[in-house]
Amino acid sequence: MNKTVTILGFLAVFSAGAALADDDCFVPMADWQPRDAVARLAEENGWTVRRIKIDDGCYEIDGYDPEGREIEVTLHPETLQVIEFEYEDEDDDDDDHDDDRRRRDHDDDD
């Protein structure tokens, strides 16, 4: 009985870990594109690079888009395909809009 519970527990944790690791890149370093290629890709897209780093086995560019918005771009290290593209101020903008909405609602009550 204890073996069954242990095995089921292990499988549950292993499955959850695999689901969380979907955005990880598992590519041997020998197959990676060089950092210069990442910088060229950024330049071609009009991005200003603040930093190129490695996160979860993927390339990650921190920088700015052509309009000056802060971005974070995750790239597959072998193909340089964009895996994820985020505007860093998205969450901040949502919070600001919520605050404005709350202020308007409160002002209407007066």
Side-chain angles (χ1 to χ4, degrees), residues 35-65:
R35 278 188 179 297
D36 293 342
V38 176
R40 272 193 310 277
L41 176 74
E43 185 179 335
E44 290 168 4
N45 284 288
W47 304 332
T48 302
V49 176
R50 188 177 63 206
R51 180 170 81 164
I52 297 173
K53 65 180 185 176
I54 297 170
D55 186 29
D56 293 329
C58 305
Y59 276 122
E60 185 174 289
I61 298 172
D62 292 328
Y64 301 93
D65 73 358

